[in-house]
Every structure is written in C-alpha cells, then in structure tokens.
C-alpha cells in the first residue's frame, strides 16, 4: 500500500511563496497521474494542478495558472507544488493524490490514493 505524505504548508504573507511536497512511500510508486487539490473552509474540494507522471505534461486551474508549478522527482517518488504570489484566497488544506487509471486527464474520481493534507494560510 502506497502512502502519500504532504509537507511544506504553513503561514505566509500575501505575495509570498511556499513549496509543498508529496512523498510516496511503500511499494514501487508508478502512478499514471498526480494531482494537487485544495479545500477551503466551507467550500468544496477543488482541482489545483495535475501532472502526467511519465511525460511530465501539466495542467492547472485557471485561478493558479502562472503562479503555481507542479513538478516531480521520479527518483524520490515525490511531487511538488511551487506556489508563488500567494493570495489570501489560496488559503486551504492542500491534498495530493495519485491516479493509476491510464486516462488523461484523470477525473477526480480516478484518483485512488490521497494524502492527509497540509494547511496553507495566506495572510493579507
């Protein structure tokens, strides 16, 4: 069983940056796609960014495009989310997830392995 563990969250001022990490542990990690999602208080979980594990192709939500970058380190079985120019509306719990279904782009329901989340708080 693969476990995903996020880290790197915290409190930052608006305009600042954070880099989230999502490390996979357990058996050999070979997802088809990886995604980052977030959920703010009182709101539904929303898609942030995704990455095709083999090709490195990426896709972003419009609200973060140009500010966030998803990347991976295959050797470390780790995916990152670099977040720049943070805004108070980026405040949320951020989750990483893995999809093993050979479908691109994956639907939210295709993600079959989720991390526990890491809190990101952006102050104004």
């Amino acid at each position: 069983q693969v476990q995903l563990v996020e880290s790197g969250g915290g409190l930052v001022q608006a305009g600042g940056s954070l880099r989230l990490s999502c490390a996979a542990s357990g058996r050999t990690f070979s997802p088809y796609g990886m995604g980052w999602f977030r959920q703010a208080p009182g709101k539904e979980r929303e898609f942030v960014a995704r990455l095709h594990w083999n090709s490195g192709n990426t896709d972003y939500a419009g609200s973060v495009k140009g500010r966030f970058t998803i990347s991976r380190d295959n050797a470390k079985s780790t995916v990152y989310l670099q977040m720049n120019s943070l805004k108070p509306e980026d405040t949320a719990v951020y989750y990483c997830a893995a999809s093993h279904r050979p479908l691109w782009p994956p639907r939210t329901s295709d993600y079959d392995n989720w991390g526990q989340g890491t809190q990101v708080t952006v102050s104004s």
Side-chain angles (χ1 to χ4, degrees):
Q1 180 74 17
V2 173
Q3 290 188 327
L4 302 177
V5 179
E6 301 99 333
S7 60
L11 174 64
V12 64
Q13 289 188 332
S17 298
L18 283 174
R19 189 177 81 154
L20 306 183
S21 299
C22 173
S25 63
R27 60 178 173 84
T28 302
F29 187 60
S30 183
Y32 196 81
M34 291 293 297
W36 283 98
F37 294 79
R38 66 187 182 187
Q39 187 167 19
K43 295 187 177 181
E44 294 190 353
R45 182 178 57 193
E46 64 174 358
F47 162 75
V48 175
R50 57 189 164 218
L51 176 145
H52 188 286
W53 191 254
N54 287 337
S55 70
N57 288 343
T58 59
D59 190 21
Y60 299 90
S63 59
V64 307
K65 191 173 293 185
R67 300 188 298 123
F68 290 12
T69 303
I70 186 172
S71 62
R72 87 251 195 245
D73 185 330
N74 294 48
K76 294 182 178 180
S77 297
T78 299
V79 64
Y80 304 98
L81 185 68
Q82 177 67 43
M83 306 186 294
N84 298 328
S85 303
L86 283 162
K87 306 175 182 180
E89 51 264 43
D90 294 319
T91 295
V93 177
Y94 283 71
Y95 300 89
C96 69
S99 171
H100 293 83
R101 180 169 288 187
L103 178 68
W104 187 261
R107 301 161 297 186
T108 301
S109 58
D110 290 325
Y111 291 93
D112 51 9
N113 201 339
W114 291 80
Q116 83 289 348
T118 185
Q119 176 70 47
V120 171
T121 303
V122 184
S123 63
S124 57

